[in-house]
């Protein structure tokens, strides 16, 4: 079964993903799977959310 992969932050369509790929050994940035939509972060949003190791936000 195919699921639609969408960026959770900017709603950009990232493509389709086979459900069997979700259980593979290769890690993926899937955050949430709802119905036939897999929410993940696109590389642009992931880069904007990365924080230096020395900084901590409480």
């Amino acid at each position: 079964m195919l699921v639609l992969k969408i960026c959770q932050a900017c709603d950009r369509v990232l493509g389709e993903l086979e459900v069997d790929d979700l259980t593979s050994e290769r890690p993926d940035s899937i955050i949430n799977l709802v119905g036939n939509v897999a929410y993940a972060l696109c590389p642009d949003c992931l880069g904007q959310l990365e924080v230096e190791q020395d900084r901590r936000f409480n």
Side-chain angles (χ1 to χ4, degrees):
M1 179 173 97
L2 292 175
V3 295
L4 186 62
K5 191 173 179 183
I6 297 178
C7 179
Q8 189 168 5
C10 69
D11 294 329
R12 181 186 307 172
V13 176
L14 302 175
E16 294 178 333
L17 185 65
E18 182 67 37
V19 174
D20 294 338
D21 291 342
L22 295 174
T23 58
S24 68
E25 295 176 10
R26 181 184 50 154
D28 201 338
S29 61
I30 296 289
I31 294 174
N32 198 3
L33 182 64
V34 179
N36 61 347
V37 178
Y39 291 100
L41 288 175
C42 68
D44 294 335
C45 291
L46 185 61
Q48 290 177 2
L49 293 175
E50 287 183 354
V51 179
E52 294 179 16
Q53 291 182 352
D54 295 339
R55 293 187 176 187
R56 294 185 184 260
F57 293 100
N58 294 331

